[in-house]
């Protein structure tokens, strides 16, 4: 990432992303190792311990969807199509310069897309259990994490020691604490930080090559907005407090986030896989078996691909109370069946707590923008 401040708008986020595109070639030419990943289940500490930079590859626009649809079905999740389209068209330098791409069997669409992606780049797929409640599932995942460590050792001709893993865990935990502190400032009334800025900042972290540098920037941002909150300032005090939950929201910053804030809403918390729910989960740094501690932390993530997944519902309700939200918007990417089906339980839980709920099913195109604006404006108006 560049040395500029963190992005405050989606446009600034795009500019910083482009700047990083230019920087990645220089990074590789200087001998840097680059590992691309897509999912929150990817154990980033192992990549860090291998002396490599971990960079997010999830597609967040429909720019290359038509290219992807020459190989993939049209009725597939836009995140999958966008990601593959950027790889197929070679329009994403992060993908192009990655020494390895790490996939995971979170959903059928992704795991079959990785087979096609493997024709373009070296791909290592982590086999994720379908649940995290049974002992054998934890053992299976630990074996997968160990295999991943061994793959990076073989590929880069290195040995990853326990000391390397502990150091990496401490750095990642510090970043998670910093992000959690940033989320916490949004508890103030009015919220000091705009939701689009919050979403853009989180996304900026996925293309930062230096974990410690990004941590410092997040801490500085949290301090600045804490001062704003203490001064009783912030966004429009009459804005309705909104929680976003559901699928990864990176591709919806402008389409949903901006529309909410232009229609009288204030996004005070994010409950997707990049938000507070996941970042509150730390690795037990001093565990006797640090590799197992890393594996256990990631298997605890509450994603809709897990069966059962009651932890996500409990967390969402706790966050709704903590941030005093006026309404919950559940964003579902088209053809994401696990989140779409789980939305039934989410709606029941949210409405049982007497909190208004709105489910949005959308993709990265602009075709339904008018409809989304109408629905979001009506939802916020009735709060």
């Amino acid at each position: 990432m560049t040395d500029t401040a963190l992005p405050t708008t989606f446009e600034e986020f795009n500019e910083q992303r482009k700047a990083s595109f230019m920087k990645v070639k220089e990074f590789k030419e200087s001998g840097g190792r680059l590992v691309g990943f897509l999912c929150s289940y990817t154990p980033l500490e192992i990549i860090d311990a291998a002396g490599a930079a971990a960079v997010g590859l999830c597609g967040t626009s429909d720019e290359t969807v038509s290219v992807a649809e020459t190989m993939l079905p049209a009725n597939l999740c836009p995140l999958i199509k966008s990601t593959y389209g950027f790889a197929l068209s070679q329009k994403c330098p992060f993908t192009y310069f990655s020494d390895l791409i790490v996939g995971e069997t979170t959903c059928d669409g992704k795991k079959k897309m990785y087979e096609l992606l493997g024709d373009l780049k070296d791909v290592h797929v982590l086999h994720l259990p379908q649940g995290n409640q049974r002992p054998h599932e934890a053992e299976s995942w630990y074996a997968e994490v160990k295999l991943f460590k061994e793959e990076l050792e073989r590929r880069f001709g290195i040995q990853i020691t326990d000391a390397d893993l502990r150091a990496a865990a401490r750095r990642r935990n510090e970043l998670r604490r910093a992000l959690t502190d940033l989320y916490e400032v949004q508890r103030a009334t009015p919220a000091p930080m705009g939701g689009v800025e919050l979403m853009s900042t989180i996304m900026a972290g996925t293309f930062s090559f230096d974990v410690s540098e990004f941590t410092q920037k997040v801490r500085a941002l949290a301090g600045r907005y804490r001062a704003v909150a203490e001064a009783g300032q912030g966004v429009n005090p009459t804005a309705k407090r909104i929680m976003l939950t559901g699928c990864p929201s990176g591709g919806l910053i402008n389409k949903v986030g901006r529309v909410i804030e232009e229609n009288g809403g204030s996004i005070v918390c994010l409950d997707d896989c990049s938000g507070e729910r996941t970042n509150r989960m730390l690795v037990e740094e001093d565990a006797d078996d640090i590799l197992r501690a890393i594996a256990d932390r990631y298997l605890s993530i509450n994603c809709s691909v897990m069966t059962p997944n009651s932890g996500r519902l409990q967390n969402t309700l706790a966050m709704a109370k903590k941030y005093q939200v006026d309404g919950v918007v559940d964003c579902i990417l088209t053809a994401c069946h696990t989140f779409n089906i789980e939305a039934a339980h989410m709606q029941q839980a949210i409405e049982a707590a007497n909190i208004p709920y709105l489910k949005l099913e959308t993709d990265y195109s602009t075709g339904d923008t008018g409809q989304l604006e109408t629905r979001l404006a009506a939802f916020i108006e009735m709060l």
Side-chain angles (χ1 to χ4, degrees):
M1 210 166 102
T2 63
D3 293 329
T4 56
L6 291 170
T8 60
T9 66
F10 182 70
E11 288 73 24
E12 286 183 16
F13 161 73
N14 265 340
E15 287 304 312
Q16 288 201 11
R17 184 170 61 96
K18 290 174 183 176
S20 290
F21 282 178
M22 297 170 66
K23 190 175 180 180
V24 68
K25 183 173 183 290
E26 177 185 324
F27 175 80
K28 285 295 296 179
E29 288 176 345
S30 65
R33 301 167 182 159
L34 194 68
V35 176
F37 70 97
L38 279 87
C39 183
S40 295
Y41 282 107
T42 306
L44 300 179
E45 289 81 357
I46 298 176
I47 298 173
D48 296 345
V55 62
L57 301 181
C58 284
T60 57
S61 80
D62 67 344
E63 179 182 347
T64 62
V65 165
S66 61
V67 177
E69 287 177 351
T70 63
M71 300 287 287
L72 298 174
N75 60 340
L76 189 62
C77 163
L79 187 153
I80 298 173
K81 290 191 291 185
S82 179
T83 301
Y84 181 71
F86 273 106
L88 188 61
S89 63
Q90 295 190 349
K91 286 190 173 182
C92 176
F94 292 154
T95 303
Y96 180 83
F97 285 109
S98 288
D99 297 293
L100 181 70
I101 294 175
V102 186
E104 77 306 316
T105 57
T106 43
C107 74
D108 290 343
K110 265 190 177 181
K111 72 184 184 186
K112 299 308 288 186
M113 181 272 282
Y114 291 137
E115 294 180 9
L116 298 181
L117 189 59
D119 294 334
L120 307 174
K121 296 289 296 185
D122 287 346
V123 177
H124 179 89
V125 177
L126 296 159
H127 288 231
L128 190 70
Q130 295 188 54
N132 54 20
Q133 305 294 312
R134 300 173 182 176
H136 74 267
E137 292 169 331
E139 291 304 314
S140 171
W141 178 240
Y142 175 69
E144 284 295 316
V145 171
K146 185 178 180 182
L147 281 174
F148 179 47
K149 169 180 171 287
E150 292 169 351
E151 168 59 22
L152 292 185
E153 289 175 326
R154 181 197 65 79
R155 177 171 294 274
F156 296 130
I158 59 172
Q159 181 180 5
I160 299 173
T161 67
D162 282 1
D164 295 330
L165 293 171
R166 285 187 204 282
R170 291 191 178 97
R171 283 193 300 273
R172 285 287 168 184
N173 279 351
E174 280 302 304
L175 175 56
R176 292 175 186 125
R177 292 186 185 100
L179 286 167
T180 301
D181 287 345
L182 180 62
Y183 304 142
E184 289 274 355
V185 302
Q186 293 292 84
R187 296 178 66 180
T189 303
M193 187 178 190
V196 168
E197 181 177 359
L198 179 63
M199 297 166 76
S200 298
T201 295
I202 293 169
M203 281 300 296
T206 66
F207 56 82
S208 175
F209 302 154
D210 189 318
V211 177
S212 297
E213 178 191 33
F214 186 67
T215 300
Q216 292 172 2
K217 291 184 177 182
V218 172
R219 287 209 180 283
L221 190 65
R224 177 154 62 89
Y225 279 109
R226 194 175 297 111
V228 171
E230 289 170 355
Q233 300 173 348
V235 300
N236 181 359
T238 64
K240 299 301 181 181
R241 299 173 66 86
I242 303 295
M243 169 194 281
L244 281 189
T245 188
C247 293
S249 58
L252 304 176
I253 294 174
N254 232 21
K255 189 173 183 180
V256 175
R258 178 187 58 80
V259 171
I260 287 174
E261 300 198 324
E262 288 180 351
N263 285 276
S266 170
I267 300 169
V268 296
C269 56
L270 287 174
D271 184 38
D272 66 2
C273 58
S274 63
E276 181 176 327
R277 166 165 47 93
T278 301
N279 281 293
R280 279 197 174 279
M281 299 176 179
L282 303 180
V283 172
E284 187 181 345
E285 301 168 8
D286 299 320
D288 291 338
D289 187 341
I290 185 62
L291 188 65
R292 186 174 292 276
I294 291 169
D296 288 347
R297 182 264 172 195
Y298 283 89
L299 190 60
S300 298
I301 292 174
N302 297 312
C303 178
S304 66
V305 299
M306 290 292 177
T307 298
N309 190 37
S310 57
R312 177 187 168 219
L313 302 181
Q314 295 165 5
N315 180 83
T316 302
L317 288 171
M319 284 182 61
K321 180 179 179 180
K322 172 180 169 183
Y323 286 89
Q324 304 176 63
V325 304
D326 297 305
V328 173
V329 176
D330 198 355
C331 295
I332 311 296
L333 292 176
T334 304
C336 184
H337 303 311
T338 57
F339 272 105
N340 208 345
I341 294 170
E342 192 166 277
H345 279 156
M346 179 61 74
Q347 180 173 3
Q348 292 169 8
I350 294 298
E351 291 182 345
N354 295 315
I355 301 171
Y357 169 93
L358 175 67
K359 172 183 165 183
L360 293 179
E361 187 175 353
T362 187
D363 57 18
Y364 294 162
S365 71
T366 58
D368 62 345
T369 301
Q371 181 189 61
L372 286 185
E373 289 191 11
T374 300
R375 293 186 64 200
L376 283 166
F379 178 70
I380 293 169
E381 185 178 356
M382 71 89 178
L383 295 177

